[in-house]
Amino acid sequence: MATAVVSAARETSMRNPWPTVVSLAFAASIAALQNTAVVPLLPVLQRELHASLSAVSWTLTISLLVAAVSTPLLSRFGDMYGRRPMILGALGLLVVGSVMAAMATSLTWLIVARILQGAVSALVPLSIGVVRDLLPRQQLATGIGVLSATMGFGSGGGMILAGLAAGDYHLVFWITGGISLVAVVILAFLVRDVAPAGKGRPDLAGAALLTAWLVALLLAISEGGSWGWTSPGVLGLFAGAAVLAVVWVLVERRVAEPLVEMSMLVHRGTIGATVSSMLLGFSFFTMLTGMSQFAQVPKATGFGFGASTLQVGLFLLPSTLFMLVISLFAGRIMRRFAASFMVATGAGVTGLAGAWLAFEHGSPATLYVASSLMGIGLGIGYAALGTMAVEHVEPSRTALAAGVNALVRIVGGSVAGAAIAAILAARPGVVGFQWVFGTAAAAGLVAAVFATVYGRLNSRAVTAPSAH
């Protein structure tokens, strides 16, 4: 009887699955938006909450850190209990966190709110799992491409939102909470679990160890410039991160149902997507944060443009528009080109944007050029990244593989914030920003190399392992 119900649900959903896909893409864009909206607000938060820039930077870093842990954990819960309740639960936490952030009057309260908001990043791999259940095989790449590309559009939209709100962080979070609530209502009506839920148990020990070594690593990187790279505190944090990471790997290899399957990270069918995703995430957040901070540097310093949050949003408007346009044509592009080729092209163009700013940054026009290149690169790369991550994975492991890929991308993004703080502390002034943009360029170009090499190696069908 249960089998008949599942089959009927699948048949019904397949008649017109695209409203569900579009609604999931809308929600995925909000998940990306809530992170990037904070980037141009950091100087505002520093001023209004009477905190240092390194302290308020944790409003971004903590959300990415929570995302890194919650993404594989909620993906596992999705396989165990169904993806629909996990999607609605993650969006619910975003609504609650947004309301708390909108009412926050202290940095501590805001960071707690951002912890709740960070869980929504799990929406992307969960949505990819739903889409794979809904769409026929010939439409799957298009569906995943739409999800991935609109996520990139949402990232640019966050910067625009902060600008339109004129730097009022209360208003930014009220708007985020409002549109998140709309997404909850829409998805509650449209999303249904087609595949039956499985069995298993959550890997809470793995989640705790992952959190611990990431916190130690990010804190060491972000404070290395101010504490001193050879200080006992920084060296101790690096050592602690290394030890905890080794313990985490050992635990994940021994536990029956690990949070992250180590074999999924290093298998030939997925490692190209894994490394490319991490480096592209690092390059993107380095570019985004670097451009925002550079534009807001007062003109009296001899560089920077003294831009307001609205002007920062305008600088990044071309990026948002290009990602939107590319997302509309993602399906057609995905049918013509291999996912690895698109990821390599997108990463290369994103790296070119960083290289451009490393050498040309004397006028606002240079930011518009870099923003355009970044939008083109991310639009193309993100549209194919989800497909590259799961195309060699068994259908039953789709959500897990997508979760691993999202995890490494988020880890790359979280390291970016700490790396920028370290670079600017070690090399203040315009030279520091040149190093920031150069680092973003290098990450993008290396990501392109990995996508190209492993795309060719995997030209024949390769199936990722179903067990660790």
Side-chain angles (χ1 to χ4, degrees):
M1 188 67 172
T3 303
V5 172
V6 170
S7 300
R10 180 182 292 274
E11 182 180 352
T12 301
S13 64
M14 289 296 290
R15 291 176 182 173
N16 187 11
W18 286 103
T20 302
V21 175
V22 172
S23 66
L24 287 169
F26 169 63
S29 68
I30 301 173
L33 177 148
Q34 61 88 24
N35 263 330
T36 56
V38 175
V39 173
L41 295 176
L42 295 180
V44 177
L45 296 173
Q46 180 184 4
R47 181 176 63 253
E48 296 192 10
L49 300 179
H50 309 290
S52 66
L53 184 58
S54 61
V56 298
S57 294
W58 278 92
T59 58
L60 174 62
T61 302
I62 197 68
S63 178
L64 292 170
L65 180 62
V66 172
V69 178
S70 65
T71 294
L73 189 61
L74 292 185
S75 295
R76 171 69 69 186
F77 284 155
D79 291 335
M80 292 167 54
Y81 307 118
R83 294 175 186 129
R84 181 178 184 272
M86 295 303 107
I87 289 173
L88 296 179
L91 279 170
L93 289 175
L94 177 59
V95 173
V96 174
S98 298
V99 172
M100 289 177 59
M103 300 175 64
T105 56
S106 69
L107 182 59
T108 301
W109 187 251
L110 182 58
I111 287 177
V112 172
R114 293 290 293 159
I115 290 174
L116 295 178
Q117 288 183 310
V120 78
S121 293
L123 196 67
V124 176
L126 288 168
S127 297
I128 290 177
V130 171
V131 168
R132 189 156 195 173
D133 289 338
L134 287 176
L135 294 179
R137 185 178 183 85
Q138 65 271 21
Q139 296 180 1
L140 181 60
T142 301
I144 295 178
V146 169
L147 274 173
S148 301
T150 51
M151 181 179 63
F153 167 70
S155 297
M159 306 289 285
I160 303 298
L161 172 60
L164 293 176
D168 184 347
Y169 75 89
H170 301 285
L171 180 58
V172 168
F173 289 122
W174 279 123
I175 295 174
T176 303
I179 59 177
S180 301
L181 185 59
V182 171
V184 170
V185 174
I186 293 174
L187 293 180
F189 281 100
L190 291 180
V191 174
R192 293 290 182 270
D193 280 318
V194 176
K199 298 180 180 180
R201 61 176 60 183
D203 179 18
L204 299 182
L209 285 168
L210 176 62
T211 303
W213 76 258
L214 281 176
V215 168
L217 176 64
L218 295 175
L219 188 59
I221 295 174
S222 62
E223 300 298 338
S226 57
W227 293 0
W229 292 103
T230 58
S231 65
V234 170
L235 293 178
L237 285 170
F238 275 126
V243 171
L244 289 169
V246 170
V247 174
W248 175 68
V249 170
L250 293 175
V251 169
E252 295 300 272
R253 292 181 66 87
R254 290 177 178 272
V255 71
E257 298 179 12
L259 182 73
V260 177
E261 289 190 1
M262 294 295 109
S263 58
M264 195 73 76
L265 288 173
V266 299
H267 187 266
R268 197 184 84 177
T270 58
I271 191 172
T274 297
V275 177
S276 298
S277 184
M278 181 177 66
L279 292 174
L280 195 54
F282 175 84
S283 181
F284 170 48
F285 272 95
T286 301
M287 284 289 296
L288 198 66
T289 308
M291 289 172 67
S292 174
Q293 292 188 13
F294 182 85
Q296 294 182 73
V297 171
K299 293 182 179 180
T301 60
F303 67 98
F305 310 117
S308 64
T309 52
L310 177 58
Q311 289 173 315
V312 170
L314 292 176
F315 285 139
L316 291 162
L317 181 59
S319 176
T320 305
L321 293 177
F322 274 114
M323 282 189 277
L324 173 61
V325 171
I326 291 173
S327 70
L328 297 176
F329 295 95
R332 296 182 184 179
I333 299 173
M334 290 291 295
R335 287 194 293 268
R336 296 191 61 181
F337 299 100
S340 58
F341 174 80
M342 290 180 62
V343 171
T345 301
V349 175
T350 303
L352 182 61
W356 166 263
L357 277 184
F359 295 100
E360 295 289 340
H361 44 260
S363 69
T366 59
L367 291 183
Y368 285 114
V369 172
S371 176
S372 299
L373 290 172
M374 184 174 70
I376 294 170
L378 291 172
I380 296 172
Y382 272 13
L385 199 53
T387 298
M388 186 180 178
V390 303
E391 61 185 348
H392 300 300
V393 175
E394 295 175 1
S396 62
R397 316 295 287 179
T398 299
L400 180 60
V404 169
N405 191 261
L407 164 66
V408 294
R409 184 178 66 249
I410 293 165
V411 169
S414 60
V415 171
I420 289 175
I423 291 172
L424 294 181
R427 295 179 178 272
V430 67
V431 175
F433 282 101
Q434 288 179 304
W435 274 88
V436 167
F437 297 130
T439 302
L445 294 176
V446 174
V449 171
F450 262 85
T452 300
V453 170
Y454 280 93
R456 292 184 177 180
L457 289 176
N458 296 327
S459 56
R460 295 181 180 180
V462 176
T463 301
S466 59
H468 64 99

